[in-house]
Amino acid sequence: MTSLVQPAFPFVNVTVDASALIPTAQRAPGVVAVVGNADGATAPPSTPLVVTSHDDAINLFGKAKAATALSSSLDLVLQQDPQPSKIYGVRTPTAGNYAAALTGLEAADDVTFVCLANETSIGAATAGATAATGLHALTEHVENMSAAGSRRMAVAMIDPTLPRTATYVTDVLATTSYGSLKSPTGRLILIAARGATTNAAVTPAPVADAAAAAMGAIAGYAPSTSVVLKQVRGFTVPVTQQYVPAEVTALAAAGAIPLIDPALIPGSGLFFGDGGAFSADPAFNYVDERRAIDQIEFQLRAGLIGTVGDARITKAGLTTVRVRVESILGPLLLGGVIDAFSVNIPLLSILTLPDSARSATDQAQVVTARQNRQVSVLISVTYGPAVHRLNVTLAPQF
């Protein structure tokens, strides 16, 4: 006869539930992608490949070990300090076919910055079945990907070879020129570096990809760090081509970021002269503001995904949701990324009341939420931006 009694050993049966050990998804805020022409390269086209060194850049995207537009731009990204957390290179299938290469980049959902290798042509927007070209392909890509949930920013540059004129700023930023690229959501960073060259001793001097270098410099810093007066490495601008104070002010006022060599900083180098985004939306006028909001949004989505399907629409369940939000935003507050925050779940306020104290409207909101299984959470965050200008009053006296 078989006994139904379990054997004594090992006396205590323990089942391990490792669900609480699953880490929260993280998104590195400084992942960049350079898309460009590299005819004759060994890398497959329209395929994002990670680059960690000059050897990677030249072996994957060079032509017979010689530099191409794409490998040269990747080298500039690699020269930044601090460097981005990850660097992708994407080769176009044919010269100038950025739309196809950018399509290949769509699945790389960790990308936060994109630029086109040494591209200054504005191109044309999508028209029917005709894909966008030039920098319009870049701006459309980041806008479309961001709208789909993969938040990205584009970095482009004003043609460094455009000569200095009395109306330089007006000429390059007119609506029919680079002004037509203005982002409706603050997702474009437009760099101005007139005369930028990687080797001024060579004639003609090779044009430097200021956009790629600037992108690498920005991505190396935390999202809430202002880009103002951060250094961009890898190329130079002759003194005769550098912007005069009036041009610096006009470019910054228009949303472009001029690269300058200020006398107030010892030594010689190029620094961001402003921190603005080339934005058509006044709510997103600054690079760090756009980046910080994108990063906070991702942390909330990643941190709250575990509550979907588990947290119930009850007082206890929604309290758990509120506590989870506070645990996500709390470290940002302690780290100085944000200055304050509040969490409001209207339905939780209703569920806190006894049934007898709820109005008909309150009860209807509870019923609707439970039928639709949908709860609204309002999170208010106070962002404390960095100082961009100090107004000092000097009052000498005897």
Side-chain angles (χ1 to χ4, degrees):
M1 179 176 178
T2 303
S3 174
L4 298 179
V5 179
Q6 293 292 327
F9 186 81
F11 306 106
V12 177
N13 294 323
V14 177
T15 300
V16 177
D17 179 4
S19 60
L21 299 180
I22 299 175
T24 301
Q26 300 294 324
R27 186 190 195 207
V31 179
V32 306
V34 183
V35 178
N37 301 321
D39 291 341
T42 59
S46 304
T47 305
L49 299 175
V50 176
V51 174
T52 60
S53 65
H54 167 74
D55 288 342
D56 285 347
I58 203 72
N59 291 334
L60 291 170
F61 301 109
K63 181 179 181 180
K65 304 298 183 179
T68 61
L70 180 53
S71 68
S72 297
S73 295
L74 287 167
D75 276 337
L76 281 173
V77 176
L78 289 164
Q79 291 181 55
Q80 304 312 307
D81 183 21
Q83 279 190 4
S85 52
K86 184 188 287 187
I87 304 169
Y88 285 109
V90 187
R91 173 193 165 198
T92 56
T94 55
N97 189 357
Y98 297 116
L102 289 166
T103 298
L105 185 63
E106 290 177 356
D109 59 2
D110 58 343
V111 171
T112 51
F113 287 95
V114 189
C115 80
L116 303 184
N118 219 343
E119 182 59 74
T120 58
S121 172
I122 297 166
T126 300
T130 303
T133 58
L135 294 175
H136 271 291
L138 173 64
T139 56
E140 288 188 14
H141 169 79
V142 297
E143 295 293 348
N144 292 338
M145 290 301 297
S146 297
S150 182
R151 313 299 191 207
R152 300 180 179 185
M153 295 190 74
V155 185
M157 66 175 175
I158 296 171
D159 188 350
T161 65
L162 292 176
R164 177 180 175 182
T165 64
T167 56
Y168 173 85
V169 177
T170 302
D171 294 341
V172 299
L173 295 182
T175 303
T176 55
S177 186
Y178 289 92
S180 64
L181 298 172
K182 269 203 169 180
S183 167
T185 58
R187 297 196 172 277
L188 174 62
I189 302 169
L190 184 63
I191 303 299
R194 186 175 55 208
T197 176
T198 53
N199 189 352
V202 176
T203 303
V207 177
D209 189 350
M215 177 179 72
I218 294 170
Y221 291 95
S224 59
T225 302
S226 172
V227 304
V228 173
L229 296 182
K230 302 303 186 293
Q231 189 169 7
V232 184
R233 296 170 170 82
F235 64 96
T236 59
V237 173
V239 174
T240 55
Q241 295 295 310
Q242 292 181 15
Y243 296 114
V244 300
E247 291 176 321
V248 172
T249 301
L251 286 166
I257 302 180
L259 297 186
I260 61 175
D261 184 4
L264 295 175
I265 298 180
S268 179
L270 293 174
F271 299 81
F272 292 113
D274 194 62
F278 201 53
S279 174
D281 185 349
F284 299 103
N285 274 342
Y286 297 97
V287 174
D288 61 290
E289 179 185 29
R290 177 75 275 178
R291 291 187 68 200
I293 292 174
D294 285 351
Q295 185 67 4
I296 293 172
E297 178 195 11
F298 181 86
Q299 289 180 261
L300 286 169
R301 290 164 60 194
L304 292 173
I305 190 67
T307 63
V308 176
D310 287 334
R312 297 191 173 277
I313 304 177
T314 61
K315 177 183 175 182
L318 296 188
T319 298
T320 301
V321 172
R322 186 183 66 189
V323 170
R324 182 59 185 149
V325 173
E326 291 171 347
S327 71
I328 296 168
L329 297 179
L332 299 177
L333 179 63
L334 292 175
V337 175
I338 58 177
D339 192 51
F341 72 89
S342 63
V343 183
N344 179 26
I345 306 178
L347 197 64
L348 178 58
S349 300
I350 296 174
L351 292 173
T352 303
L353 300 172
D355 287 350
S356 58
R358 297 176 192 170
S359 67
T361 301
D362 291 340
Q363 193 59 39
Q365 290 186 52
V366 173
V367 171
T368 300
R370 287 173 170 171
Q371 287 176 337
N372 298 334
R373 302 197 174 197
Q374 182 172 312
V375 176
S376 296
V377 180
L378 176 62
I379 302 172
S380 177
V381 172
T382 301
Y383 182 62
V387 174
H388 280 192
R389 178 177 297 180
L390 287 174
N391 295 322
V392 179
T393 300
L394 178 62
Q397 55 182 301
F398 292 106

